[in-house]
Amino acid sequence: VETGAVRYRVTKVGQDGFAAKINAEAKYVKPVSSEIVDTLDFIIKLGTFALVPLGIGLFARLMLSSRFGHDAAILQTVAAVIGMIPQGLVLLTSSVFAIATTRLAARKVLVQQAYCVESLARVDVLCLDKTGTITTGAMEVSEARGEGAASAAYTIARALEADANETSRAIISFGEGRGLVAQAAVRTVPFSSATKLSGCLTVDGRALAMGAAQFVLARDYSAHEEEVRSFGQLSRVLAVCEFDGFDDGGRPLGRARLIGYLAIQDEIRPTARATMEFFKRQGVDIRVISGDDPYTVSGIARALGVPGAQRLVDASTLSDEREVARAVEECRVFGRVTPQMKRSLLRALKAQGHVVAMTGDGVNDVLALKEADCSVAMAAGSAAARNVAEIVLADNDFAHMPEVVAEGRRSINNLERSAALFLMKTVYTMVLALICIALPPYPFIPVQMSLVSTAVIGVPSFLLALEPNHDRVRGSFIRNVLSRSLPASGAVIASLSLTILVARILGWSVSELSTCCMLEMFAIGTALIYRISLPPNPFRLFVLAVVVAIAVLGCTVFSSFFSVGAPTLISVGVALALSVSGIFLFVRTFAAVQEGRGTAHAIDRIIARVESLNAGK
């Protein structure tokens, strides 16, 4: 109600209301959707199924051999079983997400669902609600033309300050910022939908009015239409005029005498352009979705530099799913969008294989927020939007979005690197246990596996997981991890199998065999750490130095604690030769997998099979 009074009848209350129905559809709690969690569950289940028969088989084989007693058989079996379990990977995953949540909290970003960090890292389409996200929801004066136009408008706005609307508040802010002085008013004329103007009568008898140009200028509008249109689509143009006076109903008397114009537009967040530039550089497509006129929304999007902002559509004209799918592929700006249509747009984007994030602050955004892979709400928005969102911007600053996405990418990229170290050990231990059932003994005991796990897996994985890494995450988690770990696992299996054969031929003791196998493990493990840490930097070189130091200290100073035997010249030579061969095999295989050639086809078939098993549970 702009002026006067109105009598109304309520026809729907409570759960029958529009907002309540949307809230009910959203059902607030979104199920946890995390490829990483699903993959870890699959790996643990797969390891559990393999662990029991391999453990029993290895123990039985060792007991049937006359060379080993109960104690030796138990120790070797325990070492194999422990090696099959990616211990620490679940802890690392939880720690990475917890650290990401803490870091974002320090930036006034509340993470309500920790695993949404993973979705953020994979986002390639960001859908933005205009009001409250790109714009603040307030209005601002973008331009004033004509001598005295700003002062006259400021006088009117000040006179109506007690009942100011968004337009009046924008003019008052504009005038105060420029030190304008308002004349005293003896009569005010509040805005009326009938006249489409507001005004006042000053103490010196001036009758000032402002409003939509076509209504205030009336029959003189055609003479000024070209100048009014020159302000562009972003602005709502107010004409400021002087009249002879006002009648009792607030209608101006006499012909309008134009003083000038004021252009009013939505107040765009000052950080919005820089935020858009960030997403453009990161290869994230932007879709601007609003219930407002599509041309107005397009103008704002163009002003912010949104790529393809001129490709717009009036969503009220989209009649079926086929048209919606075509629109989300071709257009970047959507106007006249209903809450249900917002949800349909996000479903269409996801059906096309995109990972979609959505920002919003109102009840009309709730359905879309629930549908998005990752939803972001403003703290100042509706309670319904905050409840359904996985991330809430506590200070309502959209400029935090680059930080949120960067944190997600850092977490997942580093987690993929670290997980490759854990799965390398899991895979080679399973295969090695199978080989040792045919060719005993198993070359490690538990305390030695602890040294290998600490040096090659535990310490580097946790250190690398904290490093900045803002590359966009591509591909599935399990494929990315296995494509790095399987070449190393294959090299370890080949080297250790040859070592076991050499040991049987030369009659080495179990202690000598263990020492050689540990040296080869350290060498190939360090090569994997180096390869996944390229390009090198001071921090990554420090991690490598720590790994080498732990390995050297464990095999020398603490050799008795870790049961590391003194090797002979022949065993050292064999270990060095097989270490070099293993590293060469790993480097060649790793390169082939990354480039998709040679042995990559066999490994790719293995990865595809694991992916299908994971998908089928």
Side-chain angles (χ1 to χ4, degrees), residues 347-398:
R347 284 178 175 172
L349 285 167
K350 291 170 66 177
Q352 293 174 6
H354 296 291
V355 179
V356 186
M358 171 76 190
T359 67
D361 65 343
V363 172
N364 60 329
D365 298 317
V366 167
L367 297 180
L369 291 172
K370 179 178 181 291
E371 188 66 36
D373 293 299
C374 183
S375 50
V376 183
M378 305 292 172
S382 68
R386 292 196 304 272
N387 287 341
V388 78
E390 288 142 324
I391 292 177
V392 177
L393 303 181
D395 59 357
N396 307 301
D397 190 355
F398 177 61

Side-chain angles (χ1 to χ4, degrees), residues 33-37 92-93 96-97 100 114-123 404-420 464-478 480-481 484:
S33 176
S34 171
E35 182 186 351
I36 292 177
V37 173
L92 175 65
T93 302
V96 166
F97 286 140
Y115 292 108
C116 72
V117 172
E118 177 188 351
S119 300
L120 277 172
R122 302 179 185 278
V123 164
V404 174
V405 172
E407 188 63 38
R409 291 181 175 180
R410 182 198 65 78
S411 301
I412 305 309
N413 280 319
N414 290 341
L415 190 56
E416 285 185 351
R417 274 193 317 188
S418 299
L464 291 174
L466 302 177
E467 186 185 25
N469 190 333
H470 298 159
D471 296 334
R472 180 177 156 193
V473 179
R474 302 175 187 273
S476 71
F477 177 79
I478 195 166
N480 291 341
V481 171
R484 295 169 177 173

